[in-house]
Amino acid sequence: MKESFVINGLGGQHTLNGDIPVRGAKNDALKIMAASFLFKDTVAITNVPDIDDIGALSALMQSLGARVARAERRVEVSAPTETDTTLDRVMTKKFRASVVLMGPVLARYGKISLPHPGGCVIGARPIDLFLRAFQKMGATYSIDDEYYHIETKGGKLHGADIFLDIASVGVTETVMMAATLAEGTTIIRNAAMEPEIQNLATYLVACGSRVEGVGTPTLTIHGGDVLESKGLEYKVIPDRIETGSFLVLAALAGDEVRVTDCDPSHVRALLSLLEQAGVQFEVGEDAITVRKPAVPYKAVNVKTHEYPGFATDLQAPMTIFLTQADGESLVFETMFEGRLNYTQDLIKMGADITMFDPHRVMVRGPKLLTGRELDGPDLRAGFAYIIAGIIAKKRSVIYNVSHIDRGYEKMEERLRAIGVDITRVAE
Ligand code: EPZ
């Protein structure tokens, strides 16, 4: 059933009040679930967000013979000792994280066949870096009409020295997982350093994997045997993108809003820009309180970058923020070429935005937005539309909220608790 969000906007008023909790990070939970193919025993995962992507990965892993038990915010996964290693086409195309199964499945079972993965349409999102890395580790691949078929020689990958041309999150994770069961030592240079990768690596080490350099751009992984969790639970870290999006919302519409259950150290790049823009906030150990501004916000320039730089996933919410800041801001999206398309809808809501090329826009503010009917284009821009609808005057309808449900747990309930007038309706 298709559903929409109907939002009655605040028209620029700062009336939201109270606490809004952050849930576990989608992009951490999905990766540890995939990593459970490296284990001979059950991996128990806590603080798992109750979102559609978790259900989609569970179904895909079950189709490969894994046992997945899911109770509220807790998932237990047991990998099979043998499996048919062909990923279902329809299930794989539902989300990008399916590509991360490549590493653990290939390393454990010696081969994998998968179609080009799906996910948010924010750019071309090729998988060439994955294929090159696995080739270096001794695998061969062929491509037919629908599938990539990747195979190891003699059932085993071997260690390799791999330089990533792009510090890709997915490639770093999947190669790190694969290298855990490979023969010999693998070095990943120019590795991504996102907190989710660090959390995953730390857990793998606790379960017997030998990964050195966690949190640095050079990871050295000494291959070994199948891992054992021995009952050690994996705790998913708070979603830093949700944290950042709530901070933007609080800055734009809050009287006093406390974003709780978060890790402030993961959103330093955003906090730095918000501080320069004049946002009043106070950082605690696991919460950040944002208060109504005394003076208008100032324009700041944004350039997306790999962690610890400014997250591409926070670019859309930040652009909404800049529509309300005084002056001209340049937004430079360095990562994905389709990730500024949503600005066309903001212009229709009254924002003053000029697109120079697919990677750069100029935002001139402040401009009071007016609510309208919007189609949620992708997960992060979908949530940015919610923020736009909340700060705009009049009513907004955001269609097809399935994109938002893929990554955010019962968002409307949490927003209502701080005073947002938002309802979920059937289309
Ligand atoms: C992860 O995607 C996240 N997804 C994305 O979040 C996030 O935007 C992105 O990292 C960047 O932080 C998951 O973790 C599931 P990349 P990923 O490989 O791993 C290019 C969300 O909303 N590239 O770091 O797919 C790629 O096209 C999602 O939760 C190649 O060229 O991102 C991009 O330009 C959206 N060849 C750049 O690298 C490859 O083989 C960085 O992408 C692989 C990637």
Side-chain angles (χ1 to χ4, degrees), residues 26-27 30-31 96-97 99 120 122 124-131 166-171 173 194 240 312-313 334-337 339 378-380 406:
K26 164 178 86 77
N27 292 343
L30 291 171
K31 313 307 169 64
R96 172 79 179 180
V99 74
C120 288
I122 53 180
R125 308 188 86 183
I127 66 162
D128 55 323
L129 297 177
F130 293 85
L131 297 172
I166 301 172
S168 156
V169 172
V171 178
E173 290 164 333
E194 272 62 7
R240 63 200 161 88
T312 170
D313 291 345
T334 61
M335 223 126 345
F336 295 105
E337 68 280 9
R339 223 171 190 184
D378 68 68
L379 173 61
R380 307 302 176 185
R406 275 190 41 217

Side-chain angles (χ1 to χ4, degrees), residues 340-349 353 355 361 385:
L340 283 167
N341 293 344
Y342 71 91
T343 54
Q344 296 309 314
D345 279 329
L346 294 186
I347 294 169
K348 290 181 193 145
M349 293 178 83
I353 299 177
M355 185 175 272
V361 293
Y385 282 1

